[in-house]
Amino acid sequence: MADREEVNFEEIHFSPIPSQTNIYGLTKIESREEGNKIFLASLSGRVVCLEYLSNSLVPTSREVPFTYIPESAEIVSTDAFNRPEPSKGLVVGISLILLKNSRSHQKQFLNIYSALESKAVFSLDSIAEGCQHLELDFVPFQLTHAEVFIKGRREIVFLLCGSDESVHMFCEDRIHKRFEEQPVKNYFPELQNLPSNILWLEVLTEQSRRVTVLGCQDGYVKVAVTDLTGEPNIVKEHSLHRDGPISSVKLFSLTSCKTEAIDDEKNIIEDETDPISEYHLLVSCSIEASVVFTNIINEGFTSMVTLPDSDDFDCVTCTCIADVDWDGRNEVILGTYGQELLVYKCISGESSLQSCCNVDFQLIWRRSFANPLFAIEYVDLTNDGMEEIAVASLSGLHVLQHNLNKTEENLSKIKETALQDSQEKESVT
């Protein structure tokens, strides 16, 4: 079990925003060439980019001048991905509501930005100028992306959840360099016949199968496994209802094996040592304690573990899965409207959650903020090989760094353990 002192973060930067954000406003951009960045959108229609430039310990925070976002617009959600080979290049999506005289006269849009010439090294200013402006006939919610195969070719598409109890798929026509809406049922049969609006959607794609998990406004939660060897075909499905709106769902493995994903896309799984049967599901509800359903693919929603005290700080608004104490096992991070950041660790004696006996989670670290929290990302912003926690609050973006003294101690332990393992292997051979 991890000691509380092994998890210790210090705030190294705070970047204010002109108005509050929401749970869909934080987007991380990972790039080997350009370094990692964070986009944070405010409801006032402005997007701030935070990054640490090369060889600099001082972050740069600036507003990105995305076109076709009027002053009267409210940004609802953002997302970004790198085009797959051979095109490359960053694509940014921003959904927004344009207010007229009253709410009854509002219009909704999806703006998709990309550079005219796709390059591995990109310019944010040039991307911000190349906008495709798509009008929507529904109110947008979460915007995310997923991998599909169209005519045998791998593509990354936008998935936009809407107020019409549907998910809309937008795919790029590479010839005309435009995104067009395609029937989602042809590629995602698991996203059909939904009972309510989806508030949170995650899609994890392997070479031959896909796991989709969604949480709805009426408390409905579904997990589906889809076979991709031919036409998409649902081979396994589990569902249940919670007592209130689902604020977040996260599919995760307890083992924190860091995989090399294609083009750094988080939704593409390639580690064969992390089998689909070992997935577990974190579910956060607006009026209940957050829970983990263990071994979700095989056992469905039969084995539930409650995260203690997770309902003591108003509703949980955001979640993240990360190995923050470097022991090779993931921790669960929650952000609450009650201004608390909570870190939980699985204290089972098992190496995995396959056996649900004696499985429990313990709150090992917490931090209070001055405002409600809306989004969390664990990403290497300083580009030094160590991830930071980026937390979007009502007032702006906080960057939390591992305590440097504890980092040095832990790295020394890891190095010593690795050396001992190497020596033992040599003695055996």
Side-chain angles (χ1 to χ4, degrees), residues 17-25 40-48 69-78 94-99 103 374 393-394:
I17 52 177
S19 66
Q20 76 173 66
T21 185
N22 63 24
I23 63 173
Y24 307 131
L40 181 59
S42 63
L43 297 184
S44 63
R46 299 164 69 179
V47 180
V48 173
I69 303 181
E71 292 184 358
S72 60
E74 292 184 358
I75 294 179
V76 178
S77 54
T78 64
I94 300 177
S95 71
L96 55 95
I97 296 175
L98 180 58
L99 302 176
R103 289 279 178 181
F374 290 111
S393 73
L394 182 71

Side-chain angles (χ1 to χ4, degrees), residues 326-393:
W326 308 311
D327 70 341
R329 305 179 80 189
N330 281 320
E331 283 71 56
V332 173
I333 307 174
L334 306 181
T336 74
Y337 197 80
Q339 308 171 13
E340 292 292 316
L341 187 71
L342 310 173
V343 178
Y344 292 87
K345 186 170 191 65
C346 177
I347 57 174
S348 167
E350 303 292 334
S351 60
S352 73
L353 291 180
Q354 292 283 17
S355 173
C356 297
C357 299
N358 302 319
V359 168
D360 201 1
F361 281 84
Q362 180 180 27
L363 179 62
I364 61 171
W365 191 77
R366 56 179 283 198
R367 185 186 191 278
S368 299
F369 290 78
N371 295 283
L373 308 183
F374 290 111
I376 309 169
E377 290 286 1
Y378 190 60
V379 59
D380 181 14
L381 279 174
T382 55
N383 301 301
D384 61 355
M386 304 294 295
E387 287 90 349
E388 290 76 41
I389 299 180
V391 181
S393 73

Side-chain angles (χ1 to χ4, degrees), residues 66-252:
F66 286 105
T67 57
Y68 292 97
I69 303 181
E71 292 184 358
S72 60
E74 292 184 358
I75 294 179
V76 178
S77 54
T78 64
D79 189 40
F81 63 82
N82 293 303
R83 284 189 182 95
E85 297 283 356
S87 298
K88 293 188 177 181
L90 181 69
V91 181
V92 178
I94 300 177
S95 71
L96 55 95
I97 296 175
L98 180 58
L99 302 176
K100 296 292 186 179
N101 298 328
S102 66
R103 289 279 178 181
S104 61
H105 292 88
Q106 73 180 31
K107 291 186 176 182
Q108 301 83 218
F109 297 92
L110 173 62
N111 288 359
I112 300 178
Y113 301 87
S114 59
L116 296 178
E117 295 183 5
S118 299
K119 299 178 180 178
V121 179
F122 56 84
S123 165
L124 286 180
D125 291 332
S126 63
I127 290 173
E129 292 177 356
C131 176
Q132 183 181 347
H133 197 54
L134 302 172
E135 186 169 359
L136 309 172
D137 58 3
F138 56 89
V139 176
F141 293 141
Q142 184 197 10
L143 177 66
T144 186
H145 61 274
E147 177 193 48
V148 297
F149 287 88
I150 299 177
K151 297 180 180 179
R153 183 173 62 191
R154 175 175 170 262
E155 299 283 358
I156 306 296
V157 300
F158 278 121
L159 296 175
L160 180 59
C161 305
S163 61
D164 55 356
E165 301 181 357
S166 300
V167 177
H168 301 262
M169 187 183 92
F170 297 88
C171 180
E172 185 175 23
D173 182 338
R174 294 195 182 186
I175 296 177
H176 299 96
K177 300 294 183 181
R178 290 182 58 83
F179 278 80
E180 299 177 349
E181 184 171 359
Q182 299 290 338
V184 72
K185 64 181 180 180
N186 295 345
Y187 302 93
F188 295 89
E190 66 270 33
L191 297 179
Q192 304 301 302
N193 303 317
L194 303 172
S196 179
N197 299 324
I198 294 180
L199 298 185
W200 202 266
L201 170 68
E202 288 214 337
V203 181
L204 302 176
T205 306
E206 292 181 325
Q207 294 296 326
S208 60
R209 56 190 172 183
R210 176 175 67 226
V211 185
T212 303
V213 55
L214 58 90
C216 294
Q217 194 169 2
D218 68 346
Y220 179 74
V221 181
K222 183 170 83 168
V223 177
V225 180
T226 305
D227 179 32
L228 303 177
T229 54
E231 292 293 323
N233 177 46
I234 301 173
V235 295
K236 192 173 291 188
E237 191 173 84
H238 306 290
S239 65
L240 91 163
H241 269 90
R242 302 292 282 171
D243 288 337
I246 303 301
S247 58
S248 178
V249 288
K250 280 283 191 300
L251 196 68
F252 70 98

